[in-house]
Amino acid sequence: MDPPTVYIEEEPFFTMVLSSVETFKRECFGYIFGRKPSRTRNNFIITSAVAVQLAKKRRNKEIEQSKLSERNMKEFFKKYPAIFPVIGDFHSHPEWGSHKREPTLSSTDMKDMLRGGCPLSVVIKISSINKDRILWQGTAEGGIRGSLGKYKFHINILRVTKEGNGDLKEECFFIQAPAALKSLNRALGYT
């Protein structure tokens, strides 16, 4: 069976982009909610997203949610799974100085995903633009790229799998976010 596609509704797409802008030069972190694939539908649907506001550490290359925040959120999600169907998380990989980061999972991200049981991770590479303006569109590996204001974005959605020898491997999904991309390209005068 082909890997599932991930559909992102407009509101959570903009929430994740704005979260990465808000903390630019530092990582952002949050949770994504929605529906997982079923027997009749081979896709994830991201219906909402919320940024975590209480971080113990927020650095250029890492963010750590406070233990209190993590405990409170996970208890709430567990108590109300029909209202808050967590399907993963999102975080940004901002540029800083000469460090150009990629929208891929670090070894720490992979271990955290396996430990936390989240099937999806949205990774947002955000950097400042020099001169280029980029149309919002899909990439060959399945992600989405584009520019907005003084920022350039490359978004991938990944999951972690274990290979036969026990090594961790990331798998990139194809993203569909037609309403968000149409709104962004129209606002930027591309359509």
Side-chain angles (χ1 to χ4, degrees):
M1 181 191 290
D2 291 332
T5 299
V6 181
Y7 291 92
I8 308 175
E9 293 180 0
E10 192 171 24
E11 181 270 329
F13 188 90
F14 291 148
T15 296
M16 291 184 284
V17 166
L18 286 172
S19 295
S20 68
V21 168
E22 177 195 10
T23 62
F24 183 60
K25 299 287 184 184
R26 302 277 190 264
E27 284 196 13
C28 71
F29 174 77
Y31 295 98
I32 54 175
F33 308 94
R35 295 187 290 280
K36 296 178 183 179
S38 66
R39 282 183 270 163
T40 59
R41 179 183 39 80
N42 189 30
N43 56 51
F44 287 90
I45 301 171
I46 298 175
T47 57
S48 60
V50 62
V52 168
Q53 299 176 52
L54 193 55
K56 186 164 72 173
K57 294 180 189 173
R58 190 180 300 270
R59 296 192 176 116
N60 306 96
K61 292 181 82 173
E62 69 177 317
I63 183 169
E64 185 178 333
Q65 184 178 11
S66 77
K67 297 294 181 202
L68 174 64
S69 170
E70 184 177 16
R71 187 187 74 227
N72 288 346
M73 298 293 277
K74 288 188 176 179
E75 283 178 9
F76 210 69
F77 299 155
K78 189 176 180 179
K79 189 170 184 176
Y80 302 105
I83 299 172
F84 302 106
V86 177
I87 60 171
D89 62 34
F90 71 89
H91 68 280
S92 62
H93 283 180
E95 76 167 3
W96 53 279
S98 62
H99 298 278
K100 306 297 183 206
R101 307 207 33 226
E102 292 302 318
T104 58
L105 296 170
S106 68
S107 58
T108 303
D109 293 337
M110 288 184 186
K111 290 174 188 168
D112 287 347
M113 282 182 77
L114 288 176
R115 180 181 55 87
C118 283
L120 295 181
S121 186
V122 178
V123 182
I124 305 162
K125 173 187 175 183
I126 178 172
S127 56
S128 53
I129 296 176
N130 294 330
K131 296 178 185 169
D132 300 350
R133 297 286 183 245
I134 302 170
L135 175 75
W136 283 89
Q137 62 187 357
T139 65
E141 73 276 358
I144 291 177
R145 294 176 49 161
S147 62
L148 186 62
K150 63 180 187 177
Y151 303 104
K152 189 167 29 175
F153 302 87
H154 185 163
I155 302 167
N156 281 338
I157 299 181
L158 307 139
R159 76 172 162 194
V160 176
T161 57
K162 273 191 177 180
E163 295 186 322
N165 61 4
D167 288 345
L168 300 179
K169 177 184 167 192
E170 67 181 25
E171 180 181 18
C172 191
F173 292 113
F174 276 89
I175 304 172
Q176 294 288 322
L181 300 189
K182 185 175 181 181
S183 293
L184 288 164
N185 286 330
R186 186 182 311 121
L188 296 170
Y190 290 126
T191 57

